[in-house]
Amino acid sequence: MSANPQPRSFVTGDLDLLISRSLDGDLPGEEERDLQSLLVADPSARARYEAMARVVGRLEELPDPEPPFAMSIRVNAQLEDDTKGFAASLHKFGFYFRPATIGVIAAGIAAVTISYSVVPPPKPAATIAAASEQSKAQPAAAPEDDGRVNAYFAEPERKKDGPAPARESAAAAPAAPAPSAARARSAAPLADALAEGRADDEKRLNRQQPTLGASSEASLAKNEDLAFAPEPDTASRAAAAPAPQAAGGLRAVASAQVVGPSTGTLRLAAPARLDGLPGPFEGSYRLDLDGTGRVTSVVRLVGGSGSEPSGLSERLKDLSFTPAEAARTAGTVDVKVRLP
Amino acid sequence: MIMPASFRSEGHEWPGDEKAVARFLGGDPTGFEQIVRHYSGMVYALAARLVGPWEAEEIVQETFLRAWRGLESFRGDASLKTWLYTIALNRARARQGTLARMRKVFSSPRTNAEDDQPWPGDEAPDPSASPEEQAVEVEQRANLRKAIRNLPEEFRHAVVLRDLEGLSYDDIARVLKVPIGTVRSRIARGRAALVEELS
């Protein structure tokens, strides 16, 4: 007999919970006794209990749905298909990567590979600084490491907007695509740098620095030391960043180059003005030099092609060569002039 | 009938959760095939009660595929049946969510045509009964199933797992990932809702 003769009253929710738990055998002894007392005393609670017990009974009597015929065989067969592939093969080795995980890893590897192959890794700051410094003084050079130097000389007159930005192919060249200030610096004529007597210019000029412009010039003539590009626009473009070339990737420019025994010891101290001279012409000249490297007389050597344009000898007399000691020692220098 | 090679070569007896799982994790695929054979009927029954028999087989397929990929995460804290039920319940939820979104997008209200159809196997519940009694029984079952499907999802899952699948409160709490008190409450409220629906 319960210690409490008056059964507790419950709100509907509490009663449903108690009835439900009672039907499942989940009520502790005292609560079960309280509920039974209530059911005896309260017909509506008793009716509620019976209704819920009836529903639970009907639920439990519901037959299990019959699985379709041979479903487990189909599931296994389908699993066999779905679990083929790389992820499934790893299962044999005790790895249970999900396909999505494999996909993410593969995508990451592919992204890194592509980024390294397409985008060059950033240069260290020191390397960039050195390349920038080189680009100021040496805009173009020969592509082959044959000990010879190809250099394009720009006109003294600077064009701020003239140089085109360096292209991807010039990545091997010292000047990468640069801001306008850097482009302006790289467009500065090498002659200016030489005239300023920078101590390291000779070393730089002797060093190979492959660029597109240098390649074109190198293909035109072997054994050239210095190439003069008298046409202002052409010269400044070539000095800053070699422009796209004509057919075959080559662009012929008027040039004068040291040949013969003075190759590698004498070089031009100032740009030559060969623009406006009609071509095509190619000829060799022997220039007598004074003690300062200036030209005193011009003699055309045998050979060559095309007719010599008038005024060429006078222009060659305007040339001067450096270093003065080498000019004084040599006394003469042979140059090859080419007019496209 | 053509049967998979593994079906022909391996025994059909159920070795138990632990051995089957260990066999599969050891690299022997027949371990998982045994799991499928043993549990696919139970998973199908649950899926059919949650989403209806017409979509249940796809739930079963998805459940075992996910189980195959994630069996290494099965720690054995609960039974394999409970673990599979958890996956099946999640797949059923996802499927019903997808269907609900599709209905919303295409402005297609849910029809109860499938609910009104008798389930496979319900056509002749008791061959010894008279045709009238059979008809009443079929109708009552259909009404009960319809009432279950009309329950709010949280109540439906609790009632199905308790009264139809016979899981304990503890297992239901594991499957639903809710406290046991919540399980008690949901079961009680679900049953009460069914009483109201069927009265």
Side-chain angles (χ1 to χ4, degrees):
Chain A
M1 183 179 170
S2 172
N4 184 2
Q6 294 295 323
R8 276 195 297 165
S9 61
F10 297 96
V11 296
T12 307
D14 288 341
L15 182 61
D16 286 340
L17 181 58
L18 283 177
I19 292 172
S20 177
R21 291 181 65 188
S22 173
L23 291 171
D24 289 332
D26 187 50
L27 274 183
E30 188 178 348
E31 289 186 60
E32 181 68 35
R33 283 192 295 273
D34 285 347
L35 177 64
Q36 294 302 327
S37 301
L38 175 70
L39 296 179
V40 170
D42 186 348
S44 63
R46 183 75 194 171
R48 185 78 176 172
Y49 182 93
E50 288 171 354
M52 189 172 284
R54 207 164 35 246
V55 166
V56 171
R58 287 180 61 187
L59 287 171
E60 290 173 349
E61 285 173 2
L62 269 182
D64 285 347
E66 281 292 317
F69 177 73
M71 183 186 69
S72 65
I73 296 175
R74 280 198 302 279
V75 170
N76 273 325
Q78 186 66 38
L79 274 174
E80 210 169 311
D81 289 341
D82 288 346
T83 53
K84 281 177 182 170
F86 186 60
S89 65
L90 290 177
H91 177 201
K92 294 176 182 174
F93 304 101
F95 296 103
Y96 296 90
F97 293 118
R98 292 158 197 265
T101 309
I102 298 265
V104 168
I105 292 172
I109 292 172
V112 169
T113 305
I114 291 171
S115 66
Y116 268 92
S117 61
V118 173
V119 181
K123 293 180 179 177
T127 309
I128 295 172
S132 176
E133 191 64 27
Q134 279 191 333
S135 70
K136 291 179 190 173
Q138 190 165 345
E144 297 174 4
D145 190 9
D146 57 0
R148 297 162 187 150
V149 175
N150 292 339
Y152 295 93
F153 284 75
E155 280 292 308
E157 170 190 352
R158 298 184 184 187
K159 295 192 70 175
K160 286 185 179 178
D161 296 326
R167 301 195 310 174
E168 185 73 22
S169 59
S180 58
R183 274 184 289 165
R185 283 200 301 275
S186 63
L190 179 58
D192 288 353
L194 291 170
E196 290 169 9
R198 300 173 70 158
D200 55 345
D201 280 353
E202 286 187 14
K203 292 177 185 174
R204 290 190 183 126
L205 287 170
N206 283 323
R207 204 180 301 146
Q208 176 218 8
Q209 296 293 340
T211 68
L212 187 59
S215 299
S216 68
E217 202 53 28
S219 66
L220 286 174
K222 302 276 185 183
N223 302 327
E224 59 187 354
D225 278 331
L226 300 172
F228 299 89
E231 187 179 337
D233 286 348
T234 306
S236 57
R237 275 198 300 272
Q245 305 300 307
L250 303 179
R251 179 175 58 83
V253 295
S255 64
Q257 63 207 59
V258 175
V259 295
S262 298
T263 302
T265 58
L266 279 176
R267 61 193 84 258
L268 195 65
R273 283 191 166 277
L274 299 180
D275 55 324
L277 295 175
F281 169 73
E282 189 174 297
S284 298
Y285 293 84
R286 176 159 295 165
L287 312 178
D288 291 326
L289 305 177
D290 62 13
T292 64
R294 295 190 63 82
V295 176
T296 56
S297 66
V298 176
V299 177
R300 183 178 179 185
L301 303 178
V302 178
S305 62
S307 59
E308 178 184 319
S310 63
L312 175 59
S313 297
E314 283 71 23
R315 296 203 189 187
L316 291 177
K317 283 180 182 177
D318 293 334
L319 298 178
S320 63
F321 291 84
T322 190
E325 293 81 5
R328 196 163 40 245
T329 304
T332 61
V333 62
D334 292 345
V335 298
K336 190 172 187 178
V337 174
R338 184 183 295 113
L339 301 174
Chain B
M1 184 175 69
I2 299 173
M3 299 178 76
S6 55
F7 228 81
R8 293 191 299 267
S9 59
E10 290 293 327
H12 289 236
E13 62 277 5
W14 172 238
D17 287 1
E18 196 175 334
K19 285 184 181 176
V21 171
R23 180 180 286 182
F24 173 68
L25 294 181
D28 183 357
T30 58
F32 199 80
E33 289 173 5
Q34 287 175 321
I35 291 172
V36 171
R37 281 199 300 274
H38 186 72
Y39 283 114
S40 59
M42 298 181 212
V43 173
Y44 175 85
L46 174 66
R49 286 161 174 157
L50 294 175
V51 301
W54 298 273
E55 298 176 43
E57 187 168 341
E58 287 193 43
I59 299 289
V60 174
Q61 187 69 59
E62 291 176 14
T63 298
F64 282 105
L65 182 58
R66 287 184 180 251
W68 191 95
R69 289 172 178 161
L71 195 58
E72 85 283 358
S73 66
F74 173 67
R75 295 185 299 272
D77 300 338
S79 67
L80 190 57
K81 177 183 174 183
T82 305
W83 187 69
L84 290 171
Y85 274 22
T86 306
I87 299 174
L89 195 81
N90 289 333
R91 299 322 306 153
R93 276 181 182 149
R95 191 167 193 84
Q96 287 181 319
T98 304
L99 290 175
R101 283 192 294 275
M102 287 176 67
R103 285 192 199 102
K104 201 172 179 180
V105 168
F106 295 107
S107 302
S108 165
R110 178 181 172 182
T111 63
N112 290 328
E114 284 188 349
D115 293 342
D116 295 336
Q117 293 178 25
W119 281 28
D122 272 359
E123 291 83 358
D126 183 4
S128 63
S130 67
E132 291 78 13
E133 289 171 336
Q134 287 189 16
V136 170
E137 181 65 23
V138 166
E139 187 180 354
Q140 285 181 346
R141 286 183 184 179
N143 288 339
L144 185 55
R145 286 187 168 127
K146 186 177 177 181
I148 293 170
R149 291 198 65 180
N150 286 339
L151 285 176
E153 183 184 271
E154 55 187 9
F155 299 161
R156 182 171 71 249
H157 290 171
V159 168
V160 165
L161 289 172
R162 175 62 197 158
D163 291 330
L164 301 179
E165 299 298 330
L167 265 60
S168 68
Y169 282 9
D170 286 334
D171 284 345
I172 296 171
R174 284 195 192 95
V175 171
L176 297 179
K177 295 184 173 61
V178 294
I180 196 166
T182 307
V183 171
R184 291 190 181 106
S185 170
R186 288 183 182 179
I187 291 172
R189 294 174 69 183
R191 285 169 173 170
L194 285 177
V195 169
E196 301 299 328
E197 177 85 11
L198 297 170
S199 61

